[in-house]
Amino acid sequence: MDQSPFPDIAHQTASFSDGLVLDCGTTLQRLEVAYRTYGSLNAEKSNAILICHALTGDQYVAEPHPLTGKPGWWNALVGAGKPVDTDRFFVICANVLGGCMGSTGPRSRRDHGADEPWSIDFPAITVQDMVRAQKKLVDWLGIERLFAVVGGSMGGMQVLAWASLFPDRVFAAVPIATAPYHSAQNIAFHEVGRQAIYTDPDFHGGHYRTHGVIPARGLAVARMTAHITYLSEAALARKFGRRLQRQNALAAPVFGERFAVESYLEHQGSSFVRRFDANSYLVITRAMDYFDLAADHGGSLSAAFRGTKARFLLVSFSSDWLFPTAESRAMARALNQVAANVSFVEIVSDKGHDAFLLDEPDFHRTVAGFISGAAEAAGLQ
Amino acid sequence: MDQSPFPDIAHQTASFSDGLVLDCGTTLQRLEVAYRTYGSLNAEKSNAILICHALTGDQYVAEPHPLTGKPGWWNALVGAGKPVDTDRFFVICANVLGGCMGSTGPRSRRDHGADEPWSIDFPAITVQDMVRAQKKLVDWLGIERLFAVVGGSMGGMQVLAWASLFPDRVFAAVPIATAPYHSAQNIAFHEVGRQAIYTDPDFHGGHYRTHGVIPARGLAVARMTAHITYLSEAALARKFGRRLQRQNALAAPVFGERFAVESYLEHQGSSFVRRFDANSYLVITRAMDYFDLAADHGGSLSAAFRGTKARFLLVSFSSDWLFPTAESRAMARALNQVAANVSFVEIVSDKGHDAFLLDEPDFHRTVAGFISGAAEAAGLQ
């Protein structure tokens, strides 16, 4: 496995010299928000859609990834003529705070002292901190109200945080395959991934960059674990089943690839480490674990959205066991209790959590319809 | 974490100087089967029940564990006056081939060469190999026909293999919370655990004993991953939810215990490594992954049981997502197709796969009733 850290490349970035006060009490003296935009902002600045990315996503939502060369991660949904139509809307996507693609995070230079990266000492952040960083970008772009905020998984958590923190700044909110809190099972899977990273001898207590290495094996194991949770059992059975990669497997040694599903996971793990930073993985998974909107509002999820004027589209996928439909349904009920304008659609799919990233026509039609209706309500041409 | 390997303690063992021919083609020159018995064998030798243990179980089914001091792992089901009544039946439980509690496995001395353990070089084994080793023990005990073979999870796989390989030697078979093959998702979780072990710097390519260490962290991560799959989301939510172990968690560093569920998993991991061998974990998980009864019979599960006279009780648990009810149902159908005598009961429980080890009155009543009826049919007093 390639042990060289991935390069620091140049990203389009907005810098904020006033920094950011974090939920944990620490103030980041410097804040950089790396972002990409697609389409044109109209004269009224009323056609902006913010896309929020998931745990391992980034700002390259609708164009090739600068490290991997792969198509944008949400090309299926975002682009010219797509449900989030860049011919019509000004689409913004920012790398989250704590990320490793240009926004302030563990790879950034620390505030005080030598010219060293934060690494493991980067402060603990919350999903709300991520959203506050995005809001600085939106303010800086001169956009008073986002037409829509759209995101899946951890991106959906950010959508919920946007609607809760800045209700007047969001006309429409589309939280997809997400939940208002991270469940015990999800925390448990994250913790296993983190422990795998700590176990890697190349982790060096988080200071691996100083040693010129990356904890590639541990990070790969974390990715593999997570990846299983992104798929449904049916999807795994259909894609791989019990197919073997080579004959006479029994006579082979205990090591090595055997079942196709193992080889697939190993590929997922080893390609991931070439584009993602282990300390970012630790910081961001922790932010997801902390997320609990109801707890932040005296135990009432409804209270998090009291008085909201945003219109919501909640989307879940029937075979998603990481963020099951029941959690979207609970959100819909909470929004109903404060008389919010809410639609809730469960898409039937056997592709698991991953479905939100895939070519799911029903899902795309649902989003396109909602956005088109909301645009009419907003008086957009 | 304690890095000292657990001690080699003395176990009650049967030795077979004729060794064992394995499915992979290798012959083990020496075979030891460590076992425990409870109750008395009757004069006709017709009241024997063989208990087959799961991945991380052992022969100490109904008495305190010699390393941990904890009660027998199936005390709830096996003992005087229990559903598997040791006042009435002669109960046998053997450590599986490949295990680390006295039966031949990676901790055993290798066949040829120096006085070294097999370690990572122990040959690949199958569930059927485990059963053939058990049959040697049963033969040696002079038992022509087992009254019953009972086991859960991988123990259930062994029950199925017994009924398929030696149909005349089993009067009643009770496969619990199991399946006739290991699914892609289950293989995937196993592989993640194995990769975590390989990542541990103390693994030393499997030769950790020579270095006087054990890959404690990697093995703990493997156990943690597996443990999540043994529980249901509902059980995790009820037991731990999002409870924090200490206040002011956000201000704490990224490391350390925070959520109760993390602390619980860490405890599961660290106590496991004090009683289980990493190479055994590799060998046994692989045996489970290989298990595919239908594939061994031209793709027909029914063919695996053609002509069987055994009576079956299949038990599944409603919240078990590792070995879901659907797989037991498919087994029941396959057995029906060859006109086998089969009962199938799904126990309603929210405790997940683990339920088979826990105090589940419905489950215990079901097993007690089946055994009592089978004993009458067998003419046992």
Side-chain angles (χ1 to χ4, degrees):
Chain A
M1 201 170 287
D2 183 7
Q3 286 282 320
S4 59
F6 59 86
D8 283 307
I9 55 174
H11 302 278
Q12 181 182 357
T13 305
S15 296
F16 302 94
S17 56
D18 56 341
L20 188 71
V21 181
L22 302 175
D23 272 333
C24 67
T26 301
T27 300
L28 288 173
Q29 301 295 330
R30 279 190 290 269
L31 175 68
E32 308 254 308
V33 179
Y35 70 102
R36 296 294 294 163
T37 67
Y38 309 88
S40 306
L41 190 58
N42 62 14
E44 300 79 24
K45 299 192 171 182
S46 62
N47 70 334
I49 296 182
L50 177 70
I51 303 284
C52 302
H53 70 73
L55 167 54
T56 67
D58 51 46
Q59 65 271 40
Y60 298 97
V61 58
E63 65 191 301
H65 193 277
L67 288 174
T68 67
K70 285 187 186 165
W73 58 267
W74 225 355
N75 254 4
L77 194 81
V78 181
K82 302 280 174 69
V84 176
D85 190 348
T86 52
D87 285 344
R88 193 171 180 202
F89 299 102
F90 179 63
V91 172
I92 311 159
C93 188
N95 185 217
V96 294
L97 180 71
C100 49
M101 289 295 279
S103 288
T104 298
R107 280 165 63 94
S108 308
R109 198 153 46 85
R110 58 181 74 212
D111 282 341
H112 307 289
D115 191 26
E116 278 176 8
W118 279 104
S119 294
I120 192 69
D121 301 322
F122 192 74
I125 57 168
T126 63
V127 169
Q128 283 81 355
D129 290 329
M130 295 175 186
V131 164
R132 289 189 194 100
Q134 288 161 5
K135 182 173 166 286
K136 280 182 167 276
L137 175 69
V138 170
D139 286 343
W140 178 77
L141 290 168
I143 297 164
E144 195 145 324
R145 194 181 67 174
L146 292 162
F147 164 63
V149 187
V150 181
S153 198
M154 188 184 81
M157 290 176 168
Q158 292 162 62
V159 175
L160 295 171
W162 260 101
S164 177
L165 285 174
F166 307 113
D168 300 332
R169 306 293 299 268
V170 180
F171 184 78
V174 186
I176 299 159
T178 193
Y181 68 95
H182 218 217
S183 72
Q185 191 180 61
N186 290 359
I187 294 171
F189 278 120
H190 271 177
E191 177 62 8
V192 162
R194 289 187 291 256
Q195 292 290 340
I197 292 170
Y198 304 157
T199 299
D200 191 319
D202 288 332
F203 181 59
H204 294 291
H207 299 284
Y208 45 87
R209 288 198 84 179
T210 324
H211 292 76
V213 292
I214 55 169
R217 285 172 297 170
L219 185 58
V221 170
R223 176 63 168 177
M224 289 168 70
T225 312
H227 204 81
I228 301 173
T229 69
Y230 301 155
L231 304 177
S232 67
E233 212 222 311
L236 279 168
R238 190 184 55 240
K239 280 174 92 161
F240 309 107
R242 298 183 39 81
R243 204 168 67 245
L244 288 166
Q245 288 292 70
R246 62 173 175 215
Q247 294 302 311
N248 199 18
L250 261 183
V254 172
F255 285 92
E257 292 168 5
R258 308 253 182 96
F259 290 100
V261 66
E262 296 173 317
S263 161
Y264 168 77
L265 283 179
E266 196 160 315
H267 172 74
Q268 292 294 328
S270 62
S271 57
F272 180 61
V273 304
R274 286 196 284 271
R275 69 169 180 88
F276 213 86
D277 177 64
N279 283 324
S280 277
Y281 198 82
L282 298 175
V283 163
I284 299 175
T285 53
R286 219 61 183 122
M288 288 181 76
D289 291 350
Y290 285 137
F291 190 64
D292 189 348
L293 263 190
D296 295 344
H297 292 83
S300 161
L301 185 54
S302 295
F305 298 107
R306 200 175 304 286
T308 184
K309 288 189 194 73
R311 52 192 66 212
F312 290 81
L313 168 65
L314 312 181
V315 181
S316 72
F317 296 89
S318 57
S319 58
D320 183 351
W321 57 278
L322 199 61
F323 292 99
T325 287
E327 294 180 354
S328 285
R329 195 175 290 125
M331 275 191 288
R333 274 196 301 268
L335 285 163
N336 282 331
Q337 277 169 25
V338 291
N341 182 337
V342 54
S343 297
F344 165 42
V345 177
E346 183 191 39
I347 304 292
V348 176
S349 159
D350 73 350
K351 292 181 186 137
H353 185 62
D354 235 20
F356 87 89
L357 295 170
L358 303 175
D359 190 22
E360 288 281 349
D362 265 6
F363 165 47
H364 295 164
R365 269 193 295 273
T366 301
V367 172
F370 174 81
I371 286 186
S372 150
E376 204 175 304
L380 284 174
Q381 296 306 312
Chain B
M1 202 172 285
D2 182 9
Q3 286 280 321
S4 59
F6 58 87
D8 283 309
I9 55 172
H11 301 278
Q12 181 183 356
T13 305
S15 297
F16 302 94
S17 56
D18 56 341
L20 187 72
V21 182
L22 301 175
D23 273 334
C24 68
T26 301
T27 300
L28 289 173
Q29 301 297 329
R30 279 190 291 270
L31 174 68
E32 309 251 309
V33 179
Y35 69 101
R36 296 294 294 163
T37 67
Y38 309 87
S40 306
L41 190 60
N42 62 14
E44 300 79 25
K45 299 190 169 182
S46 62
N47 70 333
I49 295 182
L50 177 71
I51 303 286
C52 301
H53 70 72
L55 167 54
T56 67
D58 51 46
Q59 66 270 41
Y60 298 97
V61 58
E63 65 191 301
H65 193 277
L67 288 173
T68 67
K70 284 187 187 166
W73 58 267
W74 226 356
N75 255 3
L77 195 80
V78 181
K82 303 278 172 68
V84 176
D85 190 348
T86 52
D87 284 343
R88 193 172 179 199
F89 299 102
F90 179 64
V91 172
I92 312 161
C93 188
N95 186 217
V96 293
L97 181 72
C100 49
M101 289 293 279
S103 288
T104 299
R107 280 166 63 94
S108 309
R109 199 153 46 86
R110 59 180 73 212
D111 282 342
H112 306 289
D115 190 27
E116 279 178 7
W118 279 104
S119 293
I120 193 71
D121 301 322
F122 192 74
I125 57 168
T126 63
V127 170
Q128 283 81 353
D129 289 330
M130 295 174 187
V131 164
R132 288 188 194 100
Q134 288 161 4
K135 182 173 164 290
K136 281 184 167 272
L137 174 69
V138 169
D139 287 343
W140 179 76
L141 291 168
I143 296 164
E144 196 146 321
R145 194 181 68 177
L146 291 162
F147 164 63
V149 187
V150 180
S153 197
M154 187 184 82
M157 291 177 166
Q158 293 163 61
V159 175
L160 296 171
W162 260 101
S164 178
L165 286 174
F166 307 113
D168 301 332
R169 306 292 299 267
V170 180
F171 184 79
V174 186
I176 299 159
T178 193
Y181 66 95
H182 219 217
S183 73
Q185 191 179 61
N186 290 0
I187 294 170
F189 278 120
H190 270 178
E191 178 60 8
V192 162
R194 288 187 292 257
Q195 291 291 341
I197 293 171
Y198 304 158
T199 299
D200 191 320
D202 288 332
F203 182 58
H204 294 291
H207 299 285
Y208 44 86
R209 287 197 85 181
T210 324
H211 293 77
V213 292
I214 55 170
R217 283 172 298 172
L219 184 58
V221 170
R223 175 61 168 178
M224 288 167 70
T225 312
H227 204 81
I228 301 174
T229 70
Y230 301 154
L231 304 177
S232 68
E233 212 221 314
L236 280 167
R238 192 184 51 238
K239 280 172 91 163
F240 309 107
R242 298 182 40 81
R243 207 168 64 246
L244 289 166
Q245 289 292 68
R246 63 174 175 215
Q247 293 303 309
N248 199 19
L250 262 182
V254 172
F255 284 93
E257 295 167 4
R258 308 252 183 97
F259 289 100
V261 65
E262 297 174 317
S263 160
Y264 169 77
L265 283 179
E266 197 160 314
H267 172 74
Q268 292 293 328
S270 62
S271 57
F272 180 61
V273 304
R274 287 195 284 271
R275 69 172 181 86
F276 213 86
D277 177 65
N279 283 323
S280 277
Y281 197 82
L282 298 175
V283 163
I284 299 176
T285 53
R286 221 56 183 128
M288 289 181 76
D289 291 351
Y290 285 138
F291 190 64
D292 190 348
L293 263 189
D296 296 344
H297 292 82
S300 161
L301 186 54
S302 294
F305 298 107
R306 201 176 303 285
T308 184
K309 287 188 195 74
R311 54 194 62 213
F312 289 80
L313 168 65
L314 312 182
V315 181
S316 72
F317 296 89
S318 56
S319 58
D320 184 350
W321 56 278
L322 198 62
F323 292 99
T325 287
E327 295 181 355
S328 285
R329 197 176 288 123
M331 276 191 287
R333 274 197 301 268
L335 285 163
N336 282 330
Q337 276 169 26
V338 292
N341 182 338
V342 53
S343 299
F344 164 42
V345 177
E346 183 192 38
I347 304 293
V348 176
S349 159
D350 74 350
K351 293 181 185 138
H353 185 62
D354 235 21
F356 88 89
L357 294 170
L358 303 176
D359 189 22
E360 289 280 349
D362 266 6
F363 165 47
H364 295 165
R365 269 193 295 272
T366 301
V367 172
F370 174 79
I371 287 188
S372 151
E376 203 175 305
L380 283 173
Q381 294 306 314

